[in-house]
Amino acid sequence: MHGHRWRDPSGSDLFRSTLAVGASSAALTVMVLTSLLLVSLASARPGILLSPQVARPGAYPQWMAGPTGVLTSWFTASAHTERVLFTAAMATMLVAYLIVAYSAPRLRPVWVLGAIVTLHVIFLLSPPLNLTDVFNYLNYGRMESVYHLNPYTTIPVLEPHGDPTFLISNWHGLLSPYGPLFTVFTIALVPLGVAGSFWAMKWH
C-alpha cells in the first residue's frame, strides 16, 4: 500500500481526459461540416469538384446536383480559390480524423455512429464528385435495353451519340467490364429514366 500513490481523478488526468473528449467531439463535428461544405459547393454550380463531362456552365441539371446547393448558392469563387478551399478542407479533415483516431477510446459510440450516418447521408445527396462511373453503368444498361446492343460485344461509341447517358459518360471505347448480374440490374433501372436511375443507383 505504501508503494502505490493514489492519484486524484479530479486533477490533471481528469482535465486531460475531458480535453481529449471535447477535442474529439469537435473533430467529428468538423469532419461532418467540412464534408457538407464540399458537397454543397459541388451541388451549387459546376466547378473543380465535378467532372466537366457531366457538369458544365449551362448544362448542370438540378436532378444531378442534389438538394444541398442551396446552402452555398450565394458563394462564388474562381477555380483557383476552389482548389485552395478543397486543399484546406482535405487537410482539415485529415487533422480531425487523426484527433478522432487518437481519442477513439474516450468517444461515446453514439457520437461516432451519428457522425457516420450523417456523413453517409451527406454524400448520398451529393452530385457525382469528379467521377462519371455511375453514368457509364447506366449507359451499358441502356445500350441493351433501348438499342439492343450487347455491351459485352459492342463498345458504347457505336450506339447513338444523342443518348442522354452517352453524353455524360466517357467509357466510349470500353466493353462492359462488369458481370451479367450487374448489367441486368442496370437494365432494370432503365424504365426509371436517367434521373431516376441515377438516384436508384446511389441508393443501391
Side-chain angles (χ1 to χ4, degrees):
M1 292 295 292
H2 296 289
H4 299 280
R5 183 182 177 185
W6 180 77
R7 302 181 67 178
D8 185 355
S10 64
S12 60
D13 286 345
L14 182 58
F15 172 76
R16 285 195 294 269
S17 178
T18 302
L19 182 63
V21 170
S24 56
S25 301
L28 279 175
T29 303
V30 166
M31 292 172 68
V32 169
L33 293 180
T34 305
S35 298
L36 179 59
L37 172 64
L38 292 177
V39 167
S40 179
L41 289 173
S43 175
R45 69 193 57 80
I48 66 162
L49 298 178
L50 297 165
S51 168
Q53 186 77 23
V54 302
R56 301 177 300 279
Y60 187 26
Q62 183 60 42
W63 63 260
M64 185 189 302
T68 60
V70 296
L71 300 176
T72 55
S73 58
W74 52 270
F75 180 77
T76 57
S78 65
H80 174 71
T81 301
E82 286 189 351
R83 291 188 184 94
V84 171
L85 182 60
F86 176 74
T87 303
M90 290 295 99
T92 299
M93 286 198 288
L94 174 60
V95 172
Y97 172 79
L98 293 175
I99 292 172
V100 170
Y102 177 78
S103 305
R106 297 182 176 91
L107 278 172
R108 293 182 180 178
V110 67
W111 295 351
V112 178
L113 291 175
I116 291 172
V117 170
T118 304
L119 286 168
H120 274 75
V121 171
I122 289 171
F123 284 101
L124 177 67
L125 297 176
S126 77
L129 298 177
N130 210 26
L131 294 172
T132 62
D133 296 48
V134 64
F135 300 114
N136 291 298
Y137 307 154
L138 300 179
N139 188 50
Y140 288 129
R142 287 180 62 84
M143 284 177 62
E144 176 65 46
S145 178
V146 178
Y147 306 111
H148 309 293
L149 297 174
N150 186 335
Y152 297 108
T153 59
T154 307
I155 56 177
V157 74
L158 299 178
E159 72 174 301
H161 291 189
D163 184 87
T165 55
F166 180 88
L167 296 173
I168 51 180
S169 60
N170 61 355
W171 296 352
H172 298 156
L174 179 68
L175 296 174
S176 176
Y178 300 101
L181 286 179
F182 185 78
T183 300
V184 168
F185 170 67
T186 59
I187 291 172
L189 296 179
V190 171
L192 299 177
V194 177
S197 298
F198 167 72
W199 287 102
M201 182 69 75
K202 286 176 71 72
W203 280 91
H204 175 63

